[in-house]
Amino acid sequence: MITNTEIATRGNQFPNHIVDFKQENDKIYFTTQNGVILQVTILRDSAVRFRYATEYVFEPDFSYAISDDVNLGYNELIVEDEIPEYVITTSKLKIYINKTNLKVQIVDMEDVILAEDELGFHWEENFDYGGNVVKMSKVCHSGESYYGMGDKASHTNLKGKRVNNWVTDSYAYGKDQEPLYKSIPFYIGLKENKAYGIFFDNSFSTYFDFAAEKRNVTSFWADGGEMNYYFFYGPKMYNVVESYTDLTGVPELPPLWALGFHQSKWSYYPEKKVKDIASKFRELNIPCDAIYLDIDYMEGFRCFTWDNKHFPNPKKMIEELEEDGFKTITMIDPGIKIDRDYWVYQQAMDNGFFCRRADGPHFKGKVWPGECKFPDFTNPKVREWWADLYKEMIADLGVSGVWNDMNEPAIMEVPSKTANLDVRHDYDGHPCSHRKAHNVYGMQMVRATYEGVKKFMFPKRPFVLTRAAYAGTQRYCATWTGDNVATWEHLWIANVQMQRMCMSGYSFVGSDIGGFAEQPNGELFARWMQLAVFHPFCRVHSSGDHGDQEPWSFGDEITDIVREFIELRYQLLPYLYTMFYNYIKEGFPMLQSLVFYDQEDHQTHFRTDEFIFGKQMLVCPVQEPNSHGRRMYFPKGNWYNYWTDELTEGGVERWVSAEIHRVPLFIKEGAMIPKYPVQQYVGEKEIEKLALDVYFKEGTENSQVYEDHQEGYDYKKGRYSLRRFKLTGKENELIIQQFKDGNFITPYNNFIITFHGLPFTIEMVELDNEEVDLNDIKLNGNNSIEVGKDFTELHIFGK
């Protein structure tokens, strides 16, 4: 036997000198003597794609992550052949390509280095599977910080951490545990107060080392596929996040009820139990919009079936719940029970829709129904079939939303917890193994579910929830952070996970309130609720193995506290809906870490607890037992205490009182916060008046409120109402100007405006330059007035 020792011992291989260069419009190609091609694509002046091939050949250019609606175009592109490098210049960036080794350096127009290759691109042949392990290393500069990466149970600043993206069923995971349920290979770097982002679009198992192994090196690599990454320049973090979110997409607006409070458990059954839970919510006047049915509603855990013993008439039950204001959400898993008498199984068999092993037999794995087979959701024909399976559930029975779980896919009783790596996938016409398709499997399942629910919910908007996700999954559904634990540590983890997910382009996210595994005490449950009502998706979910976890499960004191905070969420629904509108229109994250809010303040770079809810509310949860308050950091600006109206100047750390019935909550000076009356469910009441809480500021501040029909698609045709307010405060004056877009007519005619921090006594009020009688506007001391909703300028004079 002859062994090719040269190949066997080559190890890492590197590009050598450039021998060819060409430009095709927005694409520039550099070819090295040893067969490496670097393709640089200018998407925008501040967004650039870097793609590397070896052996002169690119793989087919296909990605599940990239949206169909990416904004492309640049103002300037110049390529110059200099010594010792090529220089690519846009209006925002200069990119230097070294002619000797293909290393890349990116600087801004002030010649500040944003990113530079250390070893740069290199690769290692994979003798076990074929193809390459592709690698990239970059210089980590002094003081550089790193954020993003989606679902990670770690400090928001990832400096010194190493993470792995391999979508994994991680029951009862712990702090810093890797990997978890999602793969979002996108990070934000912050260097010298300038932000950039890198998205490594590779669906194999990927790894990121943020100066963990070597303090001056940050690197990322993948077990296969291409070195294919996007670079985004800020200089602000919100520029980076908006560019990444534009690339990978945003969802459509959810129905408003999806932003209400939801209650779930593994499992609510039989039918009487479901109705008893619903009745208890209404009896105790605790608002709730949705009840979830976990796997026990099915017949032997077979998807798209009902257990006739426990749910003899699901259509009637769903209708009765709907009459009482509850939407019904059902779980669907990917594992299809092997049963020749089971119609879903037989349809998939007849059409060849199940995944196969490399040598031909179907892949089998044990899940809740027993031995199962798994549809190949990377096949568009399978997705179309799967979408149509929802007809009976949605169109005929009246289910309002679907929850896809176990879609990593999770497989029981195997060390890997998932499918064999040799399982074959269609990958939309690019056949591959599970090594490449694993991270997108759950994404493509929920994509098919979204298409089905949307089809059969029409003309109403769909609601879909997933556990597993890859970058771009936010286009289809909400998500949650998986099987957490009822501990104080997990309360901290939930807080940082939400901030990180929102900064990673995926804002419609929540956690299992109170913890999925084990049992919280009343204090932990209350503190968790005080955090979670400020998360975009708000749901209690628990395993059911450790006791009850409904809002009333911990005694009257905790019930009253929980009710108050759920009611606060319902009051803030127009504010939350406006947050979602800004997310889909601007790519602006619904929650922001303090570093996102003010990256120039170095005090924010390592803060984990405080966050901005929307654009004008500051929240800092209490995360330790037996606390009567806590220290927290106030970022730039001035902040009103929501509970007391006390004003605090930003840029300081202070002790804030927070007994068990309070959470530190502050409103940005100058904000106008819209509120609805408390409802037991969305749509229970017609909104007769919109409340506006106005927080005085000497200076100017802008606010918004977005409204529409709350479900349906008329908003896409202009049937929406977007009110933009500009507040200008002076020593003895307050001016509020209103600008309105859209042709939706809101059901209310008046605003109830309540003033906070007004430094003068109201003497006179003008509406659109005409003085009004103070009795006509129902002046209530100095606190509130009532005015018509269509004013252009409200001018308040005082002394």
Side-chain angles (χ1 to χ4, degrees):
M1 182 179 73
I2 298 175
T3 301
N4 189 334
T5 55
E6 178 186 355
I7 292 177
T9 60
R10 262 194 310 207
N12 284 332
Q13 300 176 64
F14 296 84
N16 56 17
H17 61 279
I18 296 173
V19 295
D20 187 43
F21 153 79
K22 68 177 180 179
Q23 180 178 356
E24 297 176 354
N25 298 320
D26 60 345
K27 292 180 172 59
I28 304 106
Y29 296 86
F30 305 93
T31 304
T32 68
Q33 184 271 334
N34 62 341
V36 175
I37 304 174
L38 166 59
Q39 178 195 77
V40 179
T41 305
I42 309 301
L43 283 70
R44 291 186 300 281
D45 292 295
S46 59
V48 184
R49 182 186 184 191
F50 296 87
R51 189 176 176 218
Y52 295 81
T54 59
E55 299 181 351
Y56 300 99
V57 178
F58 283 103
E59 295 184 1
D61 191 8
F62 175 78
S63 170
Y64 285 118
I66 308 305
S67 167
D68 293 333
D69 301 317
V70 182
N71 291 311
L72 301 174
Y74 49 84
N75 296 310
E76 180 181 339
L77 176 57
I78 300 171
V79 184
E80 299 170 290
D81 184 350
E82 303 283 354
I83 297 175
E85 59 228 341
Y86 288 94
V87 183
I88 303 169
T89 304
T90 74
S91 67
K92 299 283 184 67
L93 298 171
K94 292 179 183 177
I95 304 165
Y96 296 95
I97 312 293
N98 190 292
K99 292 181 177 180
T100 302
N101 51 29
L102 211 59
K103 288 185 182 180
V104 174
Q105 183 186 73
I106 305 173
V107 304
D108 66 11
M109 302 315 288
E110 298 173 345
D111 288 326
V112 174
I113 296 173
L114 302 168
E116 59 180 325
D117 287 356
E118 186 245 0
L119 294 177
F121 170 62
H122 50 293
W123 73 98
E124 180 183 346
E125 291 189 26
N126 189 324
F127 297 114
D128 292 327
Y129 293 101
N132 297 325
V133 177
V134 292
K135 308 175 183 181
M136 174 62 67
S137 65
K138 295 188 176 291
V139 175
C140 173
H141 298 93
S142 176
E144 195 161 4
S145 294
Y146 303 96
Y147 306 90
M149 294 301 297
D151 189 11
K152 302 298 177 188
S154 299
H155 195 289
T156 50
N157 190 335
L158 291 165
K159 183 73 168 283
K161 302 285 188 182
R162 176 180 283 192
V163 299
N164 173 212
N165 291 314
W166 181 252
V167 174
T168 302
D169 177 10
S170 301
Y171 174 81
Y173 57 92
K175 185 175 183 287
D176 293 325
Q177 182 173 324
E178 288 288 321
L180 298 181
Y181 296 93
K182 296 167 186 66
S183 171
I184 303 180
F186 162 71
Y187 71 85
I188 306 157
L190 185 58
K191 174 185 174 290
E192 297 180 23
N193 294 333
K194 294 189 176 185
Y196 68 88
I198 286 179
F199 169 44
F200 181 23
D201 188 8
N202 183 308
S203 64
F204 284 81
S205 182
T206 56
Y207 308 82
F208 289 74
D209 184 301
F210 296 104
E213 182 176 341
K214 297 180 180 179
R215 64 194 302 259
N216 65 335
V217 178
T218 287
S219 55
F220 49 94
W221 64 99
D223 285 344
E226 283 188 339
M227 175 51 59
N228 169 37
Y229 73 90
Y230 294 80
F231 178 90
F232 311 97
Y233 174 55
K236 298 296 184 183
M237 291 180 76
Y238 69 79
N239 301 129
V240 173
V241 173
E242 287 172 8
S243 292
Y244 165 76
T245 307
D246 178 69
L247 183 72
T248 57
V250 293
E252 60 193 1
L253 272 173
L256 186 61
W257 63 261
L259 300 179
F261 174 72
H262 297 189
Q263 182 70 37
S264 180
K265 183 180 183 176
W266 177 29
S267 282
Y268 286 135
Y269 74 97
E271 176 183 303
K272 184 179 184 304
K273 179 67 172 179
V274 179
K275 290 183 174 180
D276 286 346
I277 293 293
S279 296
K280 192 72 171 179
F281 271 101
R282 298 298 179 245
E283 175 190 334
L284 295 177
N285 291 314
I286 300 173
C288 182
D289 262 282
I291 297 285
Y292 285 62
L293 301 181
D294 210 316
I295 52 176
D296 293 290
Y297 80 89
M298 306 174 190
E299 180 189 353
F301 307 133
R302 294 167 178 83
C303 294
F304 302 101
T305 68
W306 290 81
D307 182 331
N308 291 328
K309 178 181 177 182
H310 291 142
F311 296 91
N313 193 339
K315 181 179 177 65
K316 182 181 179 185
M317 179 194 71
I318 292 166
E319 287 174 348
E320 290 174 350
L321 288 171
E322 181 78 37
E323 288 171 4
D324 210 12
F326 290 95
K327 311 295 186 196
T328 302
I329 314 294
T330 50
M331 151 147 354
I332 293 290
D333 289 347
I336 302 301
K337 183 176 177 61
I338 298 174
D339 178 357
R340 294 185 62 183
D341 295 326
Y342 172 28
W343 61 280
V344 177
Y345 173 79
Q346 202 55 51
Q347 282 185 16
M349 286 291 292
D350 292 345
N351 289 282
F353 287 162
F354 286 127
C355 293
R356 292 184 179 274
R357 302 288 296 274
D359 291 331
H362 286 129
F363 164 67
K364 300 177 184 179
K366 183 179 179 183
V367 206
W368 302 118
E371 200 166 62
C372 293
K373 296 181 182 179
F374 295 79
D376 180 11
F377 295 108
T378 72
N379 183 332
K381 292 182 180 178
V382 174
R383 292 197 300 268
E384 184 178 357
W385 163 74
W386 187 261
D388 284 341
L389 293 178
Y390 285 101
K391 180 179 185 299
E392 180 186 23
M393 180 176 287
I394 305 295
D396 299 342
L397 297 181
V399 167
S400 294
V402 173
W403 159 30
N404 286 164
D405 198 6
M406 303 289 286
N407 55 338
E408 290 71 29
I411 309 296
M412 297 174 177
E413 299 179 7
V414 294
S416 70
K417 299 184 179 180
T418 194
N420 304 79
L421 296 182
D422 72 330
V423 169
R424 307 300 296 172
H425 294 274
D426 179 76
Y427 214 88
D428 277 71
H430 307 87
C432 67
S433 75
H434 197 68
R435 294 176 64 242
K436 182 176 182 178
H438 171 81
N439 279 341
V440 300
Y441 184 87
M443 175 195 198
Q444 295 310 300
M445 177 190 181
V446 81
R447 175 186 179 183
T449 297
Y450 163 77
E451 293 296 343
V453 175
K454 182 175 182 178
K455 178 179 180 179
F456 297 116
M457 281 296 296
F458 189 84
K460 297 180 179 179
R461 301 175 211 159
F463 172 73
V464 179
L465 182 67
T466 187
R467 189 169 74 176
Y470 182 68
T473 308
Q474 68 268 12
R475 300 194 297 270
Y476 311 117
C477 57
T479 190
W480 88 105
T481 54
D483 294 344
N484 57 8
V485 187
T487 63
W488 290 94
E489 179 179 79
H490 263 271
L491 177 59
W492 179 90
I493 290 172
N495 187 10
V496 296
Q497 282 178 310
M498 298 311 113
Q499 296 176 47
R500 191 191 309 285
M501 285 290 290
C502 288
M503 284 206 294
S504 303
Y506 208 139
S507 275
F508 201 2
V509 60
S511 67
D512 284 347
I513 299 170
F516 177 79
E518 302 181 13
Q519 175 77 356
N521 61 23
E523 182 188 14
L524 175 58
F525 186 78
R527 291 303 193 188
W528 207 312
M529 188 66 72
Q530 289 169 349
L531 168 66
V533 295
F534 299 105
H535 289 161
F537 176 58
C538 184
R539 180 186 74 155
V540 169
H541 181 53
S542 63
S543 68
D545 292 336
H546 307 94
D548 295 333
Q549 209 157 300
E550 291 76 38
W552 53 84
S553 302
F554 305 95
D556 292 344
E557 180 192 15
I558 300 302
T559 300
D560 291 342
I561 293 169
V562 168
R563 179 193 296 109
E564 179 181 4
F565 278 88
I566 295 176
E567 288 178 344
L568 175 60
R569 183 178 179 90
Y570 276 75
Q571 288 178 290
L572 291 173
L573 280 177
Y575 181 82
L576 188 56
Y577 206 41
T578 304
M579 288 164 51
F580 214 110
Y581 171 82
N582 286 323
Y583 167 47
I584 67 170
K585 284 297 181 183
E586 305 171 12
F588 195 88
M590 295 175 72
L591 308 179
Q592 303 106 53
S593 298
L594 292 196
V595 66
F596 184 97
Y597 178 77
D598 184 8
Q599 68 194 49
E600 295 180 2
D601 179 358
H602 288 205
Q603 288 291 327
T604 69
H605 291 196
F606 287 89
R607 309 298 302 201
T608 59
D609 296 354
E610 307 89 344
F611 63 92
I612 307 296
F613 175 64
K615 294 183 178 181
Q616 296 173 317
M617 300 182 77
L618 171 65
V619 184
C620 187
V622 175
Q623 298 173 138
E624 295 181 348
N626 305 313
S627 296
H628 299 282
R630 60 161 299 153
R631 295 195 67 82
M632 63 173 285
Y633 186 72
F634 290 82
K636 68 180 179 182
N638 295 324
W639 301 89
Y640 283 91
N641 187 313
Y642 178 82
W643 311 107
T644 67
D645 280 351
E646 177 188 357
L647 192 62
T648 298
E649 185 178 350
V652 298
E653 183 178 88
R654 286 187 54 185
W655 169 267
V656 177
S657 176
E659 299 292 340
I660 182 65
H661 65 293
R662 289 290 175 258
V663 67
L665 174 61
F666 295 83
I667 311 298
K668 188 178 182 183
E669 184 184 45
M672 297 178 61
I673 306 296
K675 285 183 175 178
Y676 284 162
V678 173
Q679 304 176 79
Q680 294 308 298
Y681 56 91
V682 169
E684 181 199 21
K685 300 175 181 177
E686 183 167 294
I687 308 303
E688 296 177 347
K689 296 174 184 177
L690 180 69
L692 291 172
D693 279 6
V694 175
Y695 292 83
F696 181 82
K697 175 182 183 179
E698 192 163 328
T700 62
E701 177 72 19
N702 296 312
S703 301
Q704 292 179 318
V705 56
Y706 172 87
E707 295 171 286
D708 60 21
H709 275 297
Q710 302 180 358
E711 57 183 356
Y713 294 93
D714 281 357
Y715 76 96
K716 292 189 174 182
K717 301 173 184 177
R719 295 291 303 279
Y720 64 87
S721 167
L722 178 63
R723 299 179 186 274
R724 291 174 291 121
F725 299 104
K726 180 180 180 181
L727 178 146
T728 304
K730 302 178 182 179
E731 184 179 353
N732 289 311
E733 293 180 54
L734 179 63
I735 302 168
I736 299 173
Q737 296 169 291
Q738 179 180 196
F739 310 89
K740 186 178 180 301
D741 293 323
N743 54 27
F744 173 65
I745 307 300
T746 56
Y748 55 83
N749 292 316
N750 290 350
F751 296 138
I752 301 292
I753 300 178
T754 301
F755 299 103
H756 301 262
L758 207 60
F760 54 78
T761 301
I762 296 175
E763 292 290 315
M764 185 175 74
V765 175
E766 287 183 356
L767 270 174
D768 298 332
N769 297 316
E770 292 187 6
E771 184 177 350
V772 296
D773 189 310
L774 297 183
N775 291 320
D776 291 342
I777 59 173
K778 302 178 182 177
L779 176 62
N780 176 16
N782 239 11
N783 291 327
S784 68
I785 61 174
E786 182 172 338
V787 299
K789 66 179 180 181
D790 293 323
F791 70 84
T792 300
E793 182 172 295
L794 172 64
H795 202 146
I796 298 171
F797 300 88
K799 69 173 184 180

